[in-house]
Amino acid sequence: MEEKVDCLEYLSKEHGMIRAVSKILQEISRRISDGERVEAGDVGKMMTVLEGIEKCHRIEEDQVLFQLKARSRSFEEPIKELLAEHDKAREIFKEMRAGLERWKVGGGADAALSSRVSEYAASLAEHVRKEEIVFRNDDVRLLSPADHKDLVERFKKVEQNILGPVSKGQMAATVIELQNRLCG
Ligand SMILES: [Fe+2]
Ligand SMILES: [Fe+2]
């Protein structure tokens, strides 16, 4: 029997990883606010994972959102909002990354950077929450099994191109390790 593939379930699994990343970022934000140390290596690992997962996830997700929009008008408004959030997140991410690169070297309490990291983390969690609502819209049934299969194949190609030899499994393991050690 052919394996059933569900592109929305695939993205929802990535949402689980993004939620964990959001928690780690909130802890990093707290430490930055309190002037506590975070190993530069951990900040680096966190940013590499975040950059990889976010880049793949958004490209994959944009493809699904465009398909949904083409199938039903009920997606038009929420998807417009989600796509705008994708663009905005890219901008905030760049600023946050530059701030963290500087902080990694000097350390110390930094209220502005702490709030930027915390806001970014909160916006990730909120964005994922909204998407999960869109994914539960009845009209997602308009995606056929062939659409699901085609989309998941495309996701895998995106991952190969962006992540290269690093597997998503390795990224998930890094997230779990950081979460256990920093937030445990
Ligand atoms: Fe998204
Ligand atoms: Fe998402």
Side-chain angles (χ1 to χ4, degrees):
M1 205 178 80
E2 208 181 331
E3 194 196 346
K4 187 181 169 290
V5 283
D6 185 328
C7 68
L8 300 173
E9 203 179 291
Y10 193 101
L11 293 175
S12 288
K13 274 198 194 135
E14 294 187 351
H15 283 168
M17 216 199 292
I18 294 172
R19 281 198 196 94
V21 166
S22 166
K23 283 192 194 128
I24 299 167
L25 283 174
Q26 289 292 13
E27 173 58 20
I28 290 179
S29 158
R30 187 196 64 74
R31 293 191 187 195
I32 294 174
S33 163
D34 295 349
E36 279 177 35
R37 233 189 118 50
V38 184
E39 293 300 325
D42 285 345
V43 176
K45 262 196 241 170
M46 174 75 266
M47 294 310 279
T48 305
V49 168
L50 184 56
E51 208 160 351
I53 179 76
E54 277 280 273
K55 221 186 252 172
C56 291
H57 183 75
R58 285 203 202 110
I59 296 173
E60 293 163 10
E61 201 161 63
D62 283 354
Q63 293 179 358
V64 172
L65 296 178
F66 284 128
Q67 290 273 355
L68 289 174
K69 217 165 86 167
R71 305 294 158 96
S72 162
R73 289 184 67 103
S74 70
F75 292 110
E76 255 171 42
E77 276 312 305
I79 286 179
K80 211 162 98 187
E81 196 185 328
L82 293 174
L83 293 175
E85 286 184 11
H86 285 175
D87 289 341
K88 202 171 146 219
R90 283 187 195 106
E91 290 307 308
I92 310 174
F93 178 80
K94 271 189 229 155
E95 282 176 38
M96 180 182 81
R97 184 177 54 193
L100 281 171
E101 284 300 325
R102 284 194 298 273
W103 185 80
K104 241 168 47 174
V105 182
D110 183 333
L113 178 61
S114 166
S115 353
R116 181 151 294 151
V117 174
S118 168
E119 274 164 33
Y120 182 77
S123 70
L124 274 185
E126 175 57 12
H127 178 76
V128 159
R129 190 190 66 78
K130 283 190 206 163
E131 281 171 346
E132 290 291 328
I133 295 172
V134 169
F135 291 175
R136 285 196 295 272
N137 182 313
D138 283 346
D139 284 354
V140 298
R141 282 177 302 192
L142 295 169
L143 290 176
S144 69
D147 292 327
H148 281 282
K149 197 165 167 261
D150 172 56
L151 282 159
V152 170
E153 274 165 18
R154 284 203 244 163
F155 293 174
K156 293 195 171 147
K157 282 197 193 117
V158 170
E159 283 162 17
Q160 263 167 19
N161 288 338
I162 291 179
L163 301 177
V166 184
S167 75
K168 227 163 70 179
Q170 280 170 275
M171 286 169 66
T174 306
V175 171
I176 292 169
E177 193 273 320
L178 285 171
Q179 191 178 16
N180 287 343
R181 190 154 44 77
L182 299 177
C183 313

